[in-house]
């Protein structure tokens, strides 16, 4: 005989069960999932799921549910108990989010001049049309799916931990954080390079060192004041960075000569410089995932913001190169960092050159702020998951990760002595290792948990998921193969440090030398989806 239960009765039953568990929690000691029966574990998981507002998929199998309940410790943070409270500041809406992604990836066409220097106009233009489909689009799609599946601070660290375990989650966290800090060390230096023509004293010596330290301190303080401020500052800076290129395009129309775009000499291409510059200017789409917990309605906002940002980034590269190479005679040797200001002078005069230089300086500020936000919130997310000591999870009065910001700023100062080419190469090398872990995790979660809720899901099956990762993986192989021996050695030493650091931190945690977070409030969509599906089938 089958008992049919109405929707009202089902809701009443759920409320009754939750109330019962709450009474037990009030009068008895708290329990971790590993010490409760399966039924108690189900109820606790249901309560935590509802507290966090997770949406889960009803199609997950009972077997998966059992595995999620009994093996919860293998999923990141499932047995944790306390963490720092969320900030009370407003969440980031879609427009600021678009420009945070824009600055996390690009910041405008400043720095793409080397593609023309390395390969000429035709290959440079084709590179910024074709390479986004090889790298940027797959990375943005994976970020949208995984970011909406795990809508919390920490981003790719949480994805990899859920798929491959906490050890590998820590490794990608270490490599991506170090890569981001290396990248961010470049921007104060670039800012001073843009303004030194107006203030020659900043060209070197103590004035330059003092200016770099002061600039880093000011920009760090802006980041400390809140992500909402950083987001809207990114919108303003983004408009200021792109607007002069719109004017330059209008002025240059009568001077354009289409035949100049077709110039190519395959025998003189510097493939190392060309590929590394393309890769550096079109990666880091996953960087925004580290602060997903601070986004307003991330399950809808994140995919839309990534789509709009992709259009802005590619357009912001392609059209300035189209204008610059088509409006003036080609001299490849001159196409190096900062050459767009010379192009502006030739096209529109001194006033346009000054405007481009100011826009370039403003762009470095936007990139600094976006990168530091991602890096510091990543450390906060790792601390909330118990991978780092709890002091990394401490938030300021403005809801920002106080210790994470200070650590990131210290790393920027220590690494600012590296040259531009070394920074780009080392950052790319470490970033590639991290991306390999992301691709493996994406495919593994698709295979192992195909029915788990994905508010945004790439419309391909398992085979399609594997095929999607092949072109960017090939790109990673090319970038690694082109790296110099010096960069490879430095980067591999950094990787080894991460491999050793994680067991050392676990030893510190075991000895109770430092306090680590234990948090039961953090969501785990793999277990939560399994529990709700089990409960539905029981009803």
């Amino acid at each position: 005989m089958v008992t049919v239960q109405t929707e009202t009765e089902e809701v009443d039953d759920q409320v009754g069960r939750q109330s019962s568990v709450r009474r037990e929690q009030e009068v008895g000691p708290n329990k971790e999932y590993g010490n409760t029966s399966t039924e108690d574990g189900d109820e606790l998981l249901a309560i935590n799921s509802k507290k966090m507002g997770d949406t889960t998929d009803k199609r997950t199998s009972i077997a998966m549910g059992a595995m999620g309940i009994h093996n919860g410790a293998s999923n990141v943070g499932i047995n944790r108990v306390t963490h720092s409270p969320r900030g009370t500041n407003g969440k980031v809406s879609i427009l600021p989010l678009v420009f945070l992604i824009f600055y996390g990836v690009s910041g405008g066409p400043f720095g793409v001049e080397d593609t023309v220097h390395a390969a000429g106009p035709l290959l440079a233009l084709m590179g910024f049309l074709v390479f986004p489909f090889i790298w940027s689009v797959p990375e943005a799609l994976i970020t949208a799916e995984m970011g909406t599946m795990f809508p919390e601070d920490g981003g790719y660290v949480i994805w990899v931990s859920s798929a491959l375990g906490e050890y590998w989650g820590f490794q990608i966290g270490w490599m991506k954080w170090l890569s981001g800090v290396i990248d961010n060390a470049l921007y104060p230096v670039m800012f001073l390079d843009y303004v030194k023509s107006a203030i020659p004293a900043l060209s070197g010596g103590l004035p330059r060192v003092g200016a770099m330290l002061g600039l880093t301190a000011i920009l760090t303080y802006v980041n400390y004041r809140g992500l909402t401020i950083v987001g809207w500052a990114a919108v303003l800076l983004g408009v200021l960075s792109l607007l002069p290129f719109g004017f330059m395009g209008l002025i240059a129309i009568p001077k354009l000569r289409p035949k100049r775009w077709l110039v190519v000499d395959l025998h003189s291409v510097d493939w190392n410089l060309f590929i590394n510059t393309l890769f550096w200017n079109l990666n880091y789409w996953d960087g925004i995932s580290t602060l997903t917990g601070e986004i307003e309605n991330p399950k809808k906002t994140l995919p839309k913001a990534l789509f709009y940002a992709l259009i802005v980034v590619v357009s912001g590269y392609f059209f300035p190169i189209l204008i610059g190479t088509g409006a003036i005679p080609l001299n490849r040797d001159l196409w190096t960092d900062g050459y767009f200001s010379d192009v502006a002078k030739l096209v529109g005069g001194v006033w346009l050159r000054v405007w481009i230089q100011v826009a370039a300086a403003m762009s470095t500020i936007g990139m600094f702020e976006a990168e530091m936000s991602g890096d510091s919130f990543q450390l906060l997310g790792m601390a909330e998951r118990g991978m780092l000591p709890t002091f990394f999870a401490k938030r300021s009065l403005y809801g920002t990760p106080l210790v994470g910001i200070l650590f990131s700023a210290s790393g920027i100062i220590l690494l600012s002595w590296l040259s531009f080419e070394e920074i780009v190469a080392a950052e790319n090398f470490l970033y590639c290792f991290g991306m390999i872990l992301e691709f493996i995790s994406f495919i593994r979660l698709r295979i192992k948990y195909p029915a788990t809720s994905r508010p945004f899901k790439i419309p391909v099956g398992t085979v399609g998921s594997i095929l999607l990762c092949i072109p960017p993986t090939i790109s990673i192989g090319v970038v690694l193969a082109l790296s110099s021996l010096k960069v490879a050695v430095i980067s591999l030493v950094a990787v080894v440090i991460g491999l050793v650091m994680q067991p050392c931190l676990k030893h510190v945690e075991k000895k109770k030398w430092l306090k680590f977070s234990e948090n039961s409030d953090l969501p785990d969509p793999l277990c939560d989806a399994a529990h709700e599906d089990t409960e539905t089938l029981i009803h």
Side-chain angles (χ1 to χ4, degrees), residues 121-122 125 248-263 319 321-330 335 346-347:
L122 182 62
L125 290 168
M248 187 170 72
L250 293 174
I251 296 170
I253 289 176
K255 303 178 181 181
L256 295 178
R257 302 292 182 269
K259 65 179 182 180
R260 292 171 178 165
W261 298 327
L262 304 178
V263 176
F319 288 107
I321 294 177
L322 193 73
I323 295 163
T325 56
I328 62 174
L330 176 67
W335 279 85
L346 294 172
V347 170

Side-chain angles (χ1 to χ4, degrees), residues 99 102-103 107 230 232-242 359 361-367 369:
F99 280 92
F102 168 72
Y103 273 117
V230 171
W232 285 107
V235 174
L236 177 62
L237 292 170
V239 173
L240 292 176
S241 299
L242 296 176
M362 295 300 101
S363 176
T364 61
I365 293 175
M367 289 187 283
E369 297 292 358

Side-chain angles (χ1 to χ4, degrees), residues 132-151:
F133 289 97
I134 297 173
W135 181 266
S136 301
V137 172
E139 188 184 8
L141 287 172
I142 291 171
T143 299
E145 177 171 318
M146 302 301 290
T148 55
M149 186 179 176
F150 299 89

Side-chain angles (χ1 to χ4, degrees), residues 36-173:
T36 63
S37 66
T38 303
E39 182 180 353
D40 290 338
D42 285 348
E43 291 168 352
L44 288 172
L45 279 169
I47 290 169
N48 283 332
S49 176
K50 303 215 178 282
K51 272 206 272 188
M52 298 304 297
D54 291 344
T55 359
T56 53
D57 196 314
K58 305 294 184 184
R59 297 169 295 175
T60 313
S61 66
I62 297 178
M64 177 180 155
M67 181 185 62
I69 292 166
H70 294 298
N71 297 332
S74 66
N75 290 315
V76 144
I78 199 71
N79 287 328
R80 306 291 182 186
V81 245
T82 55
H83 72 101
S84 59
R86 297 283 180 186
T88 56
N89 285 14
K91 298 286 187 176
V92 180
S93 58
I94 188 165
L95 183 59
L97 185 61
V98 169
F99 280 92
L100 281 173
I101 298 171
F102 168 72
Y103 273 117
V105 175
S106 165
F110 314 104
V112 302
E113 297 97 331
D114 277 330
T115 57
V116 179
H117 174 75
L122 182 62
L123 287 182
L125 290 168
M126 288 180 62
F128 283 107
L129 284 181
V130 175
F131 197 73
F133 289 97
I134 297 173
W135 181 266
S136 301
V137 172
E139 188 184 8
L141 287 172
I142 291 171
T143 299
E145 177 171 318
M146 302 301 290
T148 55
M149 186 179 176
F150 299 89
E152 56 182 294
D153 296 333
Y156 40 74
V157 175
I158 313 304
W159 315 342
V160 174
S161 297
S162 295
L164 305 177
E166 189 173 309
Y167 180 81
W168 293 109
F170 180 89
Q171 300 311 317
I172 191 174

Side-chain angles (χ1 to χ4, degrees), residues 191-381:
F191 179 88
L192 295 177
D193 285 342
Y194 284 122
V195 301
K196 68 183 180 183
S197 58
I199 310 176
L202 299 179
S203 298
L206 287 177
R208 183 178 178 87
V209 173
M212 189 182 68
L213 293 174
L215 180 63
T216 301
I218 292 170
L219 298 181
T220 299
Y221 177 73
V222 173
N223 215 277
Y224 161 78
R225 283 301 304 269
L227 193 56
T228 304
I229 293 176
V230 171
W232 285 107
V235 174
L236 177 62
L237 292 170
V239 173
L240 292 176
S241 299
L242 296 176
L243 196 58
F245 289 96
F247 275 86
M248 187 170 72
L250 293 174
I251 296 170
I253 289 176
K255 303 178 181 181
L256 295 178
R257 302 292 182 269
K259 65 179 182 180
R260 292 171 178 165
W261 298 327
L262 304 178
V263 176
V264 62
D265 182 5
L266 294 177
H267 299 291
S268 62
V269 175
D270 183 344
W271 291 106
N272 186 10
L273 179 61
F274 180 59
I275 297 297
N276 262 305
T277 306
L278 279 177
F279 189 78
W280 182 65
N281 282 285
L282 287 166
N283 64 14
Y284 268 93
W285 294 94
D286 61 336
I288 197 65
S289 69
T290 61
L291 44 88
T292 309
E294 314 303 314
I295 297 173
E296 181 182 290
N297 193 11
K299 295 178 180 180
K300 291 184 178 179
T301 304
L302 182 60
K304 290 180 181 179
L306 284 163
F307 174 73
Y308 297 143
L310 183 65
I311 295 173
V312 175
V313 167
V314 174
S315 301
Y317 288 147
F318 182 79
F319 288 107
I321 294 177
L322 193 73
I323 295 163
T325 56
I328 62 174
L330 176 67
N331 185 340
R332 279 176 56 180
D333 292 336
L334 297 177
W335 279 85
T336 56
D337 290 328
Y339 186 61
F340 270 125
S341 63
D342 295 327
V343 174
K345 182 181 179 181
L346 294 172
V347 170
V350 175
W351 68 273
L352 188 56
R353 177 183 185 176
V354 172
W355 193 4
I356 292 286
Q357 287 176 330
V358 171
M362 295 300 101
S363 176
T364 61
I365 293 175
M367 289 187 283
F368 182 99
E369 297 292 358
E371 183 67 64
M372 177 169 276
S373 294
D375 294 342
S376 57
F377 272 101
Q378 178 197 311
L379 295 180
L380 181 144

Side-chain angles (χ1 to χ4, degrees), residues 5-26 37-50 58 531-539:
Q5 190 171 29
T6 66
E7 185 178 352
T8 304
E9 290 170 336
E10 182 179 351
V11 172
D12 289 342
D13 283 354
Q14 276 190 322
V15 172
R17 285 194 305 273
Q18 292 178 16
S19 300
S20 174
V21 174
R22 289 193 189 98
R23 285 194 297 271
E24 290 176 15
Q25 289 177 322
E26 289 170 1
S37 66
T38 303
E39 182 180 353
D40 290 338
D42 285 348
E43 291 168 352
L44 288 172
L45 279 169
I47 290 169
N48 283 332
S49 176
K50 303 215 178 282
K58 305 294 184 184
H531 163 68
E532 288 204 4
D533 180 69
T534 305
E535 192 175 61
T536 301
L537 291 177
I538 291 172
H539 286 321

